[in-house]
Amino acid sequence: MNKTGLFLLSLLTLNGICSCADSLKEAFGCKFKIGTSVSPHELGSGANFIKKHFNSITPENELKPDSILNQGASQSQGNNVNPAVNFGQGTSSTLKFCEDNGISLRGHTFVWYSQTPEWFFKQNFGNGGFVTPDIMNQRLENFIKNTFQQLAQKYPKLNVYAYDVANELFLNDGGGMRPAGNSKWVQVYGDDSFVINAFTYARKYAPSGCKLFLNDYNEYIPNKTNDIYKMAMKLKEKGIIDGIGMQSHLDQSYPSADVYKTAMEKFISTGLEVQITELDITANDQGKQASLFKDIFSAALKNAASITCLTVWGTNDSISWRSSQNPLLFSSGYTPKKAYTEVMTLAAC
Ligand code: GLA
């Protein structure tokens, strides 16, 4: 650009007309990390796009218990307490992509009622009866230990900066934790001690600098906000939690930005970090979608002292788990949508 061009550009910037950032990372990366979930099939064609926009990655499925726990290997160890953790091809390629490109990792997740094999809770890692809480504690500790050890050994340069230790513990209506019929964790333990234990073990084995999160969805429903808040405070008193993850799977017409912000402020009032961990907004009206995306980014910026990452749950509509409802900032082919251009008017870096 020549001198006149540069002069005009700086005038526009000073007047707030043009932020001139060319990516999400450039626009917001100085305030908090900007992340996306990623599936391994995207690492080829989507690599440049991902590298351009994001400095944090959450593997969409590849670190979930059912992806990394290996039944045969667990059984052949023959000790009933040490589950074998095995990173398959999808997990390995995602972690290598992060390591090679200096993109930080949000690990997701250890304790979850879903996508966790039933044999993990059963005698001899088989299909008999459930194990006792004492046996399960040893399995839980070894599961967390083995995972962090392999991350460190296989990807020594990878920055594992955050981990969802527990995901989706609570019912939506303020009824507390999921009942035994809906969570094998509760079925085995009968109370919330597995949550405390999981955070205790994670604190013991996570690399220094890796922040430990309690993550949940529909977190803006006031009664549920309250249940998450209470559990976070209990963990905070024990010094074993660092943050609360707001999944943020929203819709253009619910929740309102105000309802969402009320939950965010309540979580911030714990004094813990807060991360937006899985943001997407289903929509049939691009204007309404853009406006709610903008409100959420704006709330995050306003609270940037406490918000340490904003992750969108996918790169573009065509690969989203809710693809029929076009929930992301980009449409297929990584084409920017109105939501993206609106969000970029808030560029803060
Ligand atoms: C939840 C989980 C995510 C993912 C989504 C669907 O939000 O936390 O890991 O499974 O559902 O993609």
Side-chain angles (χ1 to χ4, degrees):
M1 196 178 296
N2 63 25
K3 271 191 188 159
T4 321
L6 272 176
F7 176 69
L8 284 174
L9 193 62
S10 58
L11 268 187
L12 288 171
T13 310
L14 283 175
N15 287 323
I17 296 170
C18 158
S19 82
C20 308
D22 189 31
S23 72
L24 291 167
K25 196 167 70 177
E26 270 177 38
F28 305 107
C30 66
K31 298 290 180 183
F32 35 69
K33 282 199 159 52
I34 281 283
T36 183
S37 67
V38 157
S39 280
H41 64 79
E42 258 201 294
L43 294 174
S45 57
N48 287 337
F49 173 85
I50 294 167
K51 286 190 270 183
K52 171 174 173 184
H53 285 283
F54 303 103
N55 55 17
S56 169
I57 278 181
T58 309
E60 184 166 7
N61 288 298
E62 291 65 33
L63 282 175
K64 289 176 179 173
D66 64 356
S67 290
I68 60 174
L69 283 168
N70 185 309
Q71 184 177 21
S74 301
Q75 285 174 330
S76 60
Q77 291 181 160
N79 62 18
N80 205 29
V81 293
N82 189 16
V85 168
N86 182 287
F87 293 165
Q89 211 187 337
T91 306
S92 304
S93 57
T94 308
L95 298 174
K96 178 114 180 47
F97 181 83
C98 292
E99 186 182 46
D100 285 351
N101 294 294
I103 300 178
S104 301
L105 179 82
R106 263 202 112 258
H108 176 77
T109 177
F110 290 123
V111 165
W112 192 17
Y113 80 96
S114 180
Q115 289 186 253
T116 304
E118 193 155 333
W119 59 259
F120 184 48
F121 302 93
K122 301 270 180 94
Q123 280 301 343
N124 303 316
F125 303 114
N127 52 14
F130 287 102
V131 296
T132 61
D134 177 50
I135 297 285
M136 202 63 220
N137 271 333
Q138 296 175 65
R139 291 183 178 187
L140 178 58
E141 177 163 4
N142 285 321
F143 174 37
I144 291 173
K145 177 181 169 188
N146 293 342
T147 304
F148 280 126
Q149 273 183 354
Q150 285 193 44
L151 284 167
Q153 274 160 14
K154 298 189 170 146
Y155 308 95
K157 296 201 202 96
L158 179 63
N159 178 28
V160 186
Y161 80 102
Y163 221 103
D164 291 329
V165 176
N167 192 36
E168 303 186 346
L169 291 176
F170 298 103
L171 295 168
N172 284 329
D173 61 1
M177 285 201 316
R178 288 167 187 280
N182 195 231
S183 163
K184 302 285 180 292
W185 289 103
V186 180
Q187 166 111 29
V188 168
Y189 284 83
D191 59 21
D192 66 6
S193 51
F194 67 92
V195 183
I196 317 278
N197 295 345
F199 275 89
T200 305
Y201 302 141
R203 186 62 103 215
K204 189 166 165 193
Y205 298 107
S208 67
C210 174
K211 302 292 178 74
L212 306 178
F213 280 78
L214 177 66
N215 195 48
D216 217 316
Y217 74 111
N218 285 351
E219 68 285 349
Y220 41 78
I221 297 177
N223 286 338
K224 189 162 181 178
T225 305
N226 213 29
D227 279 338
I228 299 167
Y229 173 88
K230 282 190 285 187
M231 177 59 82
M233 289 306 286
K234 190 169 176 175
L235 295 163
K236 190 187 173 199
E237 274 159 30
K238 297 178 187 299
I240 49 180
I241 186 174
D242 300 297
I244 300 173
M246 302 178 71
Q247 285 193 8
S248 312
H249 293 297
L250 315 180
D251 179 75
Q252 64 181 32
S253 55
Y254 179 77
S256 68
D258 280 348
V259 165
Y260 183 87
K261 281 187 259 180
T262 302
M264 178 182 272
E265 278 156 21
K266 174 102 182 170
F267 293 141
I268 288 174
S269 78
T270 59
L272 296 167
E273 290 184 16
V274 173
Q275 297 192 347
I276 295 172
T277 55
E278 305 184 16
L279 178 61
D280 57 12
I281 305 177
T282 52
N284 56 21
D285 177 324
Q286 291 224 6
K288 286 188 183 161
Q289 180 184 50
S291 149
L292 188 52
F293 259 116
K294 192 172 173 186
D295 285 342
I296 304 297
F297 269 75
S298 159
L301 285 172
K302 189 170 152 244
N303 293 294
S306 304
I307 304 282
T308 50
C309 177
L310 189 164
T311 288
V312 286
W313 202 244
T315 54
N316 78 75
D317 288 341
S318 72
I319 50 85
S320 161
W321 69 303
R322 308 206 280 180
S323 63
S324 64
Q325 298 165 91
N326 309 312
L328 295 169
L329 296 170
F330 296 84
S331 58
S332 105
Y334 305 105
T335 310
K337 292 164 61 180
K338 186 173 172 58
Y340 175 74
T341 34
E342 282 295 309
V343 158
M344 289 299 281
T345 64
L346 299 172
C349 301

